[in-house]
Amino acid sequence: QVQLVESGGGLVQAGGSLRVSCAVSGRPFSTYIMGWLRQAPGKEREFVAGMNWSGGSTYYADSVKGRFAISRDNAKNMVYLQMNTLKPEDTAVYYCAARRGGYSRDSLMYDYWGQGTQVTVSS
């Protein structure tokens, strides 16, 4: 069992930066995929970024590539999403999620979820 708790959301102006964090408890296996997904009002939940818990490969949605970066600190059991050059369209609830098995952009394929943290980007 894996538990995930997000923090660090807030209000930021367009062009600004924000980092959201995910505290991971339980015992994610090295084969787990850690992901950040988001859901804006009236829209479906969408994949943002992902990486292997053991490190190495990272994956990004085209809409955030070059602006966002996912990372993890195994010693602290934390996963981060650094968001730069934020745009109003990045406004959403951001969720940390974990998936047993291989990489997936499909939110339905993730097994564990945090409660979400709100990120609002003003224009």
Side-chain angles (χ1 to χ4, degrees):
Q1 192 75 7
V2 174
Q3 294 81 41
L4 308 170
V5 179
E6 302 94 336
S7 61
L11 174 65
V12 63
Q13 287 189 333
S17 297
L18 197 64
R19 188 179 77 165
V20 290
S21 303
C22 175
V24 182
S25 59
R27 300 184 66 180
F29 294 102
S30 60
T31 56
Y32 274 41
I33 296 293
M34 304 303 299
W36 286 97
L37 298 92
R38 67 187 181 186
Q39 188 165 21
K43 295 187 177 181
E44 293 187 353
R45 197 168 293 188
E46 64 174 359
F47 173 83
V48 176
M51 71 182 303
N52 294 333
W53 176 248
S54 59
S57 300
T58 56
Y59 315 92
Y60 296 97
D62 289 342
S63 59
V64 306
K65 201 172 293 183
R67 299 189 297 123
F68 290 14
I70 187 172
S71 62
R72 94 264 185 258
D73 184 332
N74 282 2
K76 296 182 178 179
N77 273 10
M78 297 290 293
V79 179
Y80 305 101
L81 183 68
Q82 176 67 43
M83 303 181 287
N84 300 323
T85 319
L86 281 159
K87 304 175 181 180
E89 51 263 44
D90 294 318
T91 295
V93 177
Y94 283 72
Y95 296 91
C96 179
R99 179 177 188 276
R100 299 185 297 263
Y103 162 69
S104 177
R105 292 175 179 262
D106 185 348
S107 63
L108 297 177
M109 300 302 290
Y110 283 79
D111 304 294
Y112 304 102
W113 292 86
Q115 83 287 352
T117 186
Q118 177 71 46
V119 172
T120 302
V121 184
S122 63
S123 57

